[in-house]
Coordinates of all heavy atoms in Angstrom, one line a residue:
F874 N -65.5 -1.5 7.7 CA -66.9 -1.9 7.9 C -67.1 -3.3 7.2 O -67.7 -4.2 7.8 CB -67.8 -0.9 7.3 CG -69.2 -0.9 7.8 CD1 -70.1 0.2 7.6 CD2 -69.7 -2.0 8.5 CE1 -71.4 0.2 8.1 CE2 -71.0 -2.0 9.0 CZ -71.9 -0.9 8.8
T875 N -66.6 -3.4 6.0 CA -66.7 -4.7 5.3 C -66.0 -5.8 6.0 O -66.5 -6.9 6.1 CB -66.2 -4.5 3.8 OG1 -66.8 -3.3 3.3 CG2 -66.5 -5.7 3.0
D876 N -64.8 -5.5 6.4 CA -64.0 -6.6 7.2 C -64.7 -7.1 8.4 O -64.7 -8.2 8.7 CB -62.6 -6.0 7.6 CG -61.7 -5.8 6.4 OD1 -62.0 -6.2 5.3 OD2 -60.6 -5.2 6.6
K877 N -65.4 -6.1 9.1 CA -66.1 -6.4 10.3 C -67.2 -7.5 10.1 O -67.5 -8.3 10.9 CB -66.7 -5.2 10.9 CG -67.3 -5.3 12.3 CD -66.3 -5.6 13.4 CE -66.9 -6.0 14.7 NZ -65.9 -6.2 15.7
L878 N -67.9 -7.4 8.9 CA -69.0 -8.3 8.6 C -68.5 -9.7 8.6 O -69.2 -10.6 8.9 CB -69.5 -8.0 7.2 CG -70.2 -6.6 7.1 CD1 -70.6 -6.3 5.6 CD2 -71.5 -6.5 8.0
G879 N -67.2 -9.9 8.3 CA -66.6 -11.3 8.3 C -66.6 -11.9 9.7 O -66.4 -13.1 9.8
E880 N -66.7 -11.1 10.7 CA -66.6 -11.6 12.1 C -68.0 -11.9 12.7 O -68.1 -12.4 13.8 CB -65.9 -10.5 13.0 CG -64.5 -10.2 12.6 CD -64.0 -9.0 13.4 OE1 -64.5 -8.7 14.5 OE2 -63.1 -8.3 12.9
I881 N -69.1 -11.5 11.9 CA -70.4 -11.7 12.5 C -71.0 -13.0 12.1 O -71.2 -13.4 11.0 CB -71.4 -10.6 11.9 CG1 -70.7 -9.2 12.0 CG2 -72.7 -10.6 12.6 CD1 -70.5 -8.6 13.3
G882 N -71.3 -13.8 13.2 CA -71.8 -15.2 13.0 C -73.3 -15.3 12.8 O -73.8 -16.0 12.0
D883 N -74.0 -14.4 13.5 CA -75.5 -14.5 13.5 C -76.0 -14.0 12.2 O -75.7 -12.9 11.7 CB -76.0 -13.6 14.7 CG -77.5 -13.7 14.8 OD1 -78.0 -14.6 15.5 OD2 -78.2 -12.9 14.2
T884 N -76.8 -14.8 11.5 CA -77.3 -14.5 10.2 C -78.1 -13.2 10.1 O -77.9 -12.4 9.2 CB -78.2 -15.7 9.6 OG1 -77.5 -16.9 10.0 CG2 -78.3 -15.6 8.1
A885 N -79.1 -13.1 11.0 CA -80.0 -11.9 11.0 C -79.2 -10.6 11.3 O -79.4 -9.6 10.6 CB -81.1 -12.1 12.0
V886 N -78.3 -10.7 12.2 CA -77.4 -9.5 12.5 C -76.5 -9.2 11.3 O -76.4 -8.0 10.9 CB -76.6 -9.7 13.8 CG1 -75.6 -8.6 14.0 CG2 -77.5 -9.8 15.0
H887 N -76.0 -10.2 10.7 CA -75.1 -10.1 9.5 C -75.9 -9.4 8.4 O -75.4 -8.5 7.7 CB -74.6 -11.4 9.1 CG -73.5 -11.3 8.0 ND1 -73.9 -11.1 6.7 CD2 -72.2 -11.3 8.0 CE1 -72.8 -11.1 5.9 NE2 -71.7 -11.2 6.8
S888 N -77.1 -9.8 8.2 CA -78.0 -9.3 7.1 C -78.2 -7.8 7.3 O -78.1 -7.0 6.3 CB -79.3 -10.1 7.1 OG -80.2 -9.5 6.2
V889 N -78.6 -7.4 8.5 CA -78.9 -6.0 8.7 C -77.7 -5.1 8.6 O -77.7 -4.0 8.1 CB -79.8 -5.8 10.0 CG1 -78.9 -5.9 11.2 CG2 -80.5 -4.4 10.0
L890 N -76.6 -5.6 9.2 CA -75.3 -4.9 9.1 C -74.8 -4.8 7.6 O -74.2 -3.7 7.2 CB -74.2 -5.5 10.0 CG -74.3 -5.2 11.5 CD1 -73.2 -5.9 12.2 CD2 -74.3 -3.7 11.8
S891 N -75.0 -5.8 6.9 CA -74.6 -5.8 5.4 C -75.4 -4.7 4.7 O -74.8 -3.9 3.9 CB -74.9 -7.1 4.8 OG -74.1 -8.1 5.4
A892 N -76.7 -4.6 5.0 CA -77.5 -3.5 4.4 C -77.0 -2.1 4.8 O -76.9 -1.2 3.9 CB -79.0 -3.7 4.8
L893 N -76.6 -2.0 6.0 CA -76.0 -0.7 6.5 C -74.7 -0.4 5.8 O -74.4 0.7 5.4 CB -75.8 -0.7 8.0 CG -77.1 -0.5 8.9 CD1 -76.7 -0.7 10.4 CD2 -77.7 0.9 8.7
A894 N -73.8 -1.4 5.7 CA -72.5 -1.2 5.1 C -72.7 -0.8 3.6 O -72.0 0.0 3.1 CB -71.7 -2.5 5.2
L895 N -73.6 -1.5 2.9 CA -73.9 -1.2 1.5 C -74.4 0.2 1.4 O -74.0 1.0 0.5 CB -74.9 -2.2 1.0 CG -75.0 -2.2 -0.6 CD1 -73.7 -2.5 -1.3 CD2 -76.0 -3.3 -1.0
L896 N -75.3 0.6 2.3 CA -75.9 2.0 2.2 C -74.8 3.0 2.4 O -74.7 4.0 1.7 CB -77.0 2.2 3.3 CG -77.6 3.6 3.4 CD1 -78.2 4.0 2.1 CD2 -78.6 3.6 4.5
Y897 N -73.9 2.7 3.4 CA -72.8 3.7 3.7 C -71.9 3.8 2.4 O -71.5 4.9 2.0 CB -71.9 3.2 4.9 CG -70.8 4.1 5.2 CD1 -71.0 5.4 5.7 CD2 -69.5 3.8 4.8 CE1 -70.0 6.3 6.0 CE2 -68.4 4.7 5.0 CZ -68.7 5.9 5.6 OH -67.6 6.8 5.8
A898 N -71.5 2.7 1.8 CA -70.6 2.7 0.7 C -71.3 3.4 -0.5 O -70.7 4.2 -1.2 CB -70.2 1.3 0.3
L899 N -72.6 3.1 -0.8 CA -73.2 3.7 -1.9 C -73.5 5.2 -1.8 O -73.4 6.0 -2.7 CB -74.6 2.9 -2.2 CG -74.4 1.5 -2.7 CD1 -75.8 0.8 -2.9 CD2 -73.6 1.3 -3.9
Q900 N -73.9 5.6 -0.5 CA -74.1 7.0 -0.3 C -72.9 7.8 -0.4 O -72.9 8.9 -1.0 CB -74.7 7.1 1.2 CG -75.0 8.6 1.6 CD -76.2 9.2 0.9 OE1 -76.7 8.6 0.0 NE2 -76.6 10.4 1.4
G901 N -71.7 7.2 -0.1 CA -70.4 7.9 -0.2 C -70.1 8.1 -1.7 O -69.5 9.1 -2.1
I902 N -70.5 7.1 -2.5 CA -70.3 7.3 -4.0 C -71.2 8.4 -4.5 O -70.7 9.2 -5.3 CB -70.5 5.9 -4.7 CG1 -69.4 4.9 -4.4 CG2 -70.6 6.1 -6.2 CD1 -69.6 3.5 -4.9
T903 N -72.4 8.4 -4.1 CA -73.4 9.4 -4.6 C -72.8 10.8 -4.2 O -72.8 11.7 -5.0 CB -74.7 9.3 -3.9 OG1 -75.2 8.0 -4.2 CG2 -75.7 10.3 -4.4
Q904 N -72.3 11.0 -3.0 CA -71.8 12.3 -2.6 C -70.5 12.7 -3.2 O -70.2 13.8 -3.3 CB -71.6 12.3 -1.0 CG -73.0 12.3 -0.3 CD -72.8 12.0 1.2 OE1 -71.9 11.4 1.7 NE2 -73.7 12.5 2.0
N905 N -69.8 11.7 -3.7 CA -68.5 12.0 -4.4 C -68.5 11.5 -5.8 O -67.4 11.0 -6.3 CB -67.3 11.4 -3.6 CG -67.3 11.9 -2.2 OD1 -66.7 12.9 -1.9 ND2 -67.8 11.1 -1.2
S906 N -69.7 11.5 -6.5 CA -69.8 10.8 -7.8 C -68.8 11.4 -8.8 O -68.3 10.7 -9.7 CB -71.2 10.9 -8.3 OG -71.7 12.2 -8.3
G907 N -68.5 12.7 -8.7 CA -67.5 13.3 -9.6 C -66.2 12.6 -9.7 O -65.7 12.3 -10.7
D908 N -65.7 12.2 -8.5 CA -64.4 11.5 -8.4 C -64.5 10.2 -9.2 O -63.6 9.8 -9.9 CB -64.0 11.2 -6.9 CG -63.6 12.4 -6.2 OD1 -63.5 13.5 -6.8 OD2 -63.5 12.3 -4.9
F909 N -65.5 9.4 -8.9 CA -65.6 8.1 -9.5 C -65.9 8.1 -11.0 O -65.4 7.3 -11.7 CB -66.8 7.3 -8.8 CG -66.5 7.0 -7.3 CD1 -67.0 7.8 -6.3 CD2 -65.7 5.9 -7.0 CE1 -66.7 7.6 -5.0 CE2 -65.5 5.6 -5.6 CZ -65.9 6.5 -4.6
L910 N -66.6 9.1 -11.4 CA -66.9 9.3 -12.9 C -65.7 9.8 -13.6 O -65.3 9.3 -14.6 CB -68.1 10.3 -13.1 CG -69.5 9.7 -12.7 CD1 -70.5 10.9 -12.7 CD2 -69.9 8.6 -13.6
Q911 N -65.0 10.8 -13.0 CA -63.8 11.4 -13.6 C -62.7 10.3 -13.9 O -62.1 10.3 -14.9 CB -63.2 12.5 -12.7 CG -63.7 13.9 -13.1 CD -63.0 14.9 -12.2 OE1 -62.9 14.7 -11.0 NE2 -62.6 16.0 -12.7
A912 N -62.6 9.5 -12.8 CA -61.5 8.5 -12.9 C -61.9 7.3 -13.8 O -61.2 6.3 -14.0 CB -61.2 8.0 -11.5
G913 N -63.2 7.3 -14.2 CA -63.7 6.2 -15.1 C -63.9 4.9 -14.3 O -63.8 3.8 -14.8
L914 N -64.1 5.1 -13.0 CA -64.3 3.9 -12.1 C -65.7 3.4 -12.2 O -66.0 2.2 -12.0 CB -63.9 4.2 -10.7 CG -62.4 4.6 -10.5 CD1 -62.2 5.1 -9.1 CD2 -61.5 3.4 -10.7
L915 N -66.6 4.3 -12.5 CA -68.0 4.0 -12.6 C -68.6 4.7 -13.9 O -68.0 5.8 -14.2 CB -68.8 4.5 -11.4 CG -68.6 3.7 -10.1 CD1 -69.2 4.5 -8.9 CD2 -69.1 2.3 -10.1
S916 N -69.7 4.2 -14.4 CA -70.3 4.9 -15.6 C -71.5 5.7 -15.1 O -72.0 5.4 -13.9 CB -70.7 3.8 -16.6 OG -71.7 3.0 -16.0
V917 N -72.0 6.6 -15.9 CA -73.2 7.3 -15.5 C -74.4 6.4 -15.2 O -75.1 6.6 -14.2 CB -73.6 8.4 -16.6 CG1 -74.9 9.1 -16.3 CG2 -72.5 9.4 -16.7
P918 N -74.7 5.4 -16.1 CA -75.8 4.5 -15.7 C -75.6 3.8 -14.4 O -76.6 3.6 -13.7 CB -75.7 3.4 -16.9 CG -75.1 4.1 -18.0 CD -74.1 5.1 -17.4

């Protein structure tokens, strides 16, 4: 998803897809926060 953003030339389309990509990545961390916390990849804050 992140690689795909590099192919998008139109600024407005790039902007809205970036927000979607960020939401997808962050929601995945929320749903699997135990993995990221256990491995010390992210902190509780």
Side-chain angles (χ1 to χ4, degrees):
F874 200 164
T875 306
D876 290 350
K877 187 71 188 180
L878 295 174
E880 300 171 23
I881 313 291
D883 184 87
T884 320
V886 171
H887 188 280
S888 171
V889 75
L890 283 180
S891 297
L893 283 173
L895 192 56
L896 178 59
Y897 179 74
L899 294 179
Q900 179 72 351
I902 290 174
T903 303
Q904 289 171 332
N905 300 280
S906 54
D908 288 352
F909 293 95
L910 289 168
Q911 263 181 321
L914 298 169
L915 292 169
S916 63
V917 173

